[in-house]
Amino acid sequence: MLFTAKKSYLYDEFIFTSAQAHKRTSALMLIIFSFLPIISKAQISGTVTNGIQSLGMNGVSVVLSTAGGSLITNTTTSVTNTPLLTAGGFSSIGASGSCRANITKTASWTDGVSTLDIVLINRHILAVQPLSSGFKWIAGDINQNGYVSTADILILRDLILANISSLPKWSKPWQFVPGSVVNAPNNNFFPLGTPPAINSAGFPSMENVFGPKLGGGTEIYPTWLSPIYDIVLSTNSANNQNGFYGVKIGDVNGSASFFTGNATTRESVAFNTENASLEAGKAYTFQISNKELAQNYLGFQFGVKFDSDAITIEGVSSPNLPEFDKECYNQSNIEGVLRVLWLANSGKPQLIDENSFVTVKVKVKKNDVRLNEVFQLDQEVLPLEFVTSNTTEVYPSLDLKVEEDKSKEHVENAILFPNPVQDLLTIGINNSKGAEISIIDILGRQVLTTQVNAGTTSTVLDVSSLVSGAFICEIKTFDTVSKKVFIKR
């Protein structure tokens, strides 16, 4: 929003006019105040503009009041972008006075947030492709600790998978950076293309970036970030660079809906599904594959809606992708939804081809069940997105096949010895897909746990620290759950 202030003998008013909208950018808004002194009162006009590539924003609430709290104007940037804001008088404010601006934008926490943002944050951490501006650093600082790290990826993944509904360290999805920081003569807020300084721990961070403090003075990032800032109306034009840049937290690639019409259109998607009939009481493995576009990927996400009255999901895995574990998906057999998100944590792209890259184990609950009717891709649950090795988003079609699971409770043949045991318990299993082994006491508490890699036929647990008595050894694989009792001497 560009403001121009002029002195007037007669009255004070805000008049906001439109800026030309240019090509779509990263959802950042610039408001710059520029004052031309004439005499004792002020007349202000301006436009709302995106700060990176000069694209306007609408739906932005701007409340101006006197420093004492008296309302000057309360308006919202318009859908048409012309005019952006309506006029509002403030005769009590003189040229050397000040006012207070409260600027906000309502949005979903997940708006503009996807696996691509996680990939970009990960590449930044690995120093493959550093985030290029302070705005992107703020968007990627999910836990608000002053720098971008793996912890931010974990929180953002939980948001996309709907494990959490908001980002706990932030009060609102959109935050606003005052222009007085960005345009400060001493570059308190580092300029575009320039990474922040290295801190004492050796990490690039924003912990030495200063901003304005409400009521005067300065504070260290991120304390100064707030929807409310004081604006000083000064006769010195050099002091009037007091605009705002909008930043959607989590959206480091700038895809959030900052203007009507720029929201991503979600086309209908569906599995290429074979016409298979499922029988009640039987277990099946759903194999999800990609024949349309075989190439290397840095990450992907997709959502599924399933008929929870007809099937129950018992497990999700990936036979071919490294680093795919239970943190990569979120399922609800009550709501009938499954969300899957995988990231190449190492930064090395992985090939996904016609082979199954995700398998879902289900149990059928009733007869006359058709595969294509009970298990469907759903953009509302989680939009389909694949990120290629050059960080391009693609949306390939996915194939869905099904096979009856004829596997038996082979882990029931697990052998525990010695039993009773005093120190080391050896567990022998028929294990082809990996397993999780847990030791549970008589109160149902998990006291020990370990992961066993695929192909491992035995493992040894040190149980010497356990009290004497009976324990349960629980062995979970993708196919089965088995429990064996042993005695600790």
Side-chain angles (χ1 to χ4, degrees), residues 274 276-287 360-364 371 401-408 433 479:
E274 59 185 15
S277 179
L278 311 178
E279 298 180 33
K282 290 188 176 181
Y284 294 86
T285 298
F286 293 173
Q287 299 179 339
V360 182
K361 175 70 179 296
V362 305
K363 189 75 172 288
V364 179
L371 176 61
K401 293 186 177 181
V402 61
E403 65 178 21
E404 184 179 345
D405 187 3
K406 299 182 182 298
S407 63
K408 304 299 180 182
K433 295 184 179 180
D479 301 313

Side-chain angles (χ1 to χ4, degrees), residues 185-250:
N186 59 353
N187 289 321
N188 284 336
F189 185 82
F190 63 92
L192 302 183
T194 304
I198 303 299
N199 64 11
S200 58
F203 297 103
S205 73
M206 293 179 65
E207 61 187 28
N208 294 320
V209 176
F210 291 83
K213 183 177 182 179
L214 196 64
T218 60
E219 291 180 293
I220 298 176
Y221 171 87
T223 310
W224 55 263
L225 273 179
S226 167
I228 303 175
Y229 294 99
D230 288 333
I231 301 173
V232 177
L233 304 182
S234 172
T235 56
N236 184 353
S237 61
N239 296 330
N240 291 316
Q241 304 301 318
N242 292 313
F244 296 94
Y245 294 83
V247 181
K248 173 61 177 56
I249 303 303

Side-chain angles (χ1 to χ4, degrees), residues 88-223:
F90 53 99
S91 58
S92 62
I93 299 295
S96 60
S98 65
C99 66
R100 183 157 292 178
N102 186 339
I103 180 164
T104 57
K105 181 173 176 61
T106 301
S108 165
W109 283 97
T110 56
D111 183 22
V113 178
S114 72
T115 300
L116 177 57
D117 296 297
I118 292 181
V119 167
L120 294 175
I121 291 174
N122 193 48
R123 288 169 70 83
H124 170 86
I125 295 170
L126 296 173
V128 174
Q129 182 182 351
L131 298 176
S132 59
S133 76
F135 306 119
K136 293 181 180 180
W137 276 72
I138 292 176
D141 185 11
I142 310 301
N143 64 359
Q144 209 181 102
N145 66 351
Y147 58 94
V148 180
S149 67
T150 303
D152 299 308
I153 290 179
L154 299 179
I155 300 173
L156 204 58
R157 182 175 64 182
D158 277 343
L159 178 68
I160 296 173
L161 290 176
N163 291 320
I164 58 176
S165 59
S166 63
L167 299 176
K169 292 294 184 178
W170 296 97
S171 60
K172 295 180 182 299
W174 280 90
Q175 298 293 320
F176 294 89
V177 179
S180 58
V181 175
V182 177
N183 298 293
N186 59 353
N187 289 321
N188 284 336
F189 185 82
F190 63 92
L192 302 183
T194 304
I198 303 299
N199 64 11
S200 58
F203 297 103
S205 73
M206 293 179 65
E207 61 187 28
N208 294 320
V209 176
F210 291 83
K213 183 177 182 179
L214 196 64
T218 60
E219 291 180 293
I220 298 176
Y221 171 87
T223 310

Side-chain angles (χ1 to χ4, degrees), residues 326 416 425 427 429 435-441 444-452 459 461 463 466 471-477 481-486:
K326 60 185 179 181
L416 306 183
L425 176 67
I427 305 166
I429 58 175
E436 179 181 82
I437 299 177
S438 301
I439 304 300
I440 301 171
D441 65 15
R445 298 173 299 188
Q446 185 183 82
V447 293
L448 289 175
T449 184
T450 187
Q451 297 287 335
V452 180
T459 189
L461 287 181
V463 296
L466 301 181
F471 291 85
I472 296 173
C473 178
E474 180 182 76
I475 305 168
K476 291 182 180 180
T477 71
V481 177
S482 175
K483 296 180 180 180
K484 294 283 187 178
V485 176
F486 69 93

Side-chain angles (χ1 to χ4, degrees), residues 282-436:
K282 290 188 176 181
Y284 294 86
T285 298
F286 293 173
Q287 299 179 339
I288 302 174
S289 60
N290 170 15
K291 286 187 176 180
E292 178 185 281
L293 195 59
Q295 61 176 294
N296 292 322
Y297 294 97
L298 290 166
F300 63 78
Q301 67 179 48
F302 63 85
V304 170
K305 186 75 174 177
F306 63 91
D307 185 353
S308 57
D309 292 329
I311 61 174
T312 298
I313 292 181
E314 297 188 333
V316 181
S317 68
S318 176
N320 301 317
L321 289 176
E323 303 164 325
F324 190 102
D325 55 26
K326 60 185 179 181
E327 303 300 327
C328 294
Y329 64 91
N330 179 22
Q331 70 177 78
S332 171
N333 283 320
I334 297 176
E335 298 177 9
V337 295
L338 168 66
R339 297 176 177 90
V340 180
L341 187 160
W342 172 80
L343 169 71
N345 294 318
S346 64
K348 183 179 180 180
Q350 298 294 318
L351 176 65
I352 296 178
D353 53 21
E354 69 275 6
N355 296 316
S356 173
F357 65 91
V358 172
T359 58
V360 182
K361 175 70 179 296
V362 305
K363 189 75 172 288
V364 179
K365 299 163 66 175
K366 64 182 183 180
N367 286 315
D368 300 322
V369 171
R370 309 297 298 181
L371 176 61
N372 59 351
E373 296 175 352
V374 299
F375 197 79
Q376 301 170 336
L377 284 171
D378 193 302
Q379 295 284 69
E380 296 301 320
V381 172
L382 184 60
L384 174 69
E385 176 186 280
F386 280 63
V387 182
T388 66
S389 57
N390 62 355
T391 66
T392 300
E393 296 169 283
V394 294
Y395 315 99
S397 63
L398 301 181
D399 297 328
L400 178 64
K401 293 186 177 181
V402 61
E403 65 178 21
E404 184 179 345
D405 187 3
K406 299 182 182 298
S407 63
K408 304 299 180 182
E409 297 292 322
H410 54 269
V411 291
E412 290 293 347
N413 297 321
I415 300 173
L416 306 183
F417 62 91
N419 190 5
V421 61
Q422 184 170 352
D423 297 316
L424 301 178
L425 176 67
T426 299
I427 305 166
I429 58 175
N430 180 7
N431 168 38
S432 61
K433 295 184 179 180
E436 179 181 82

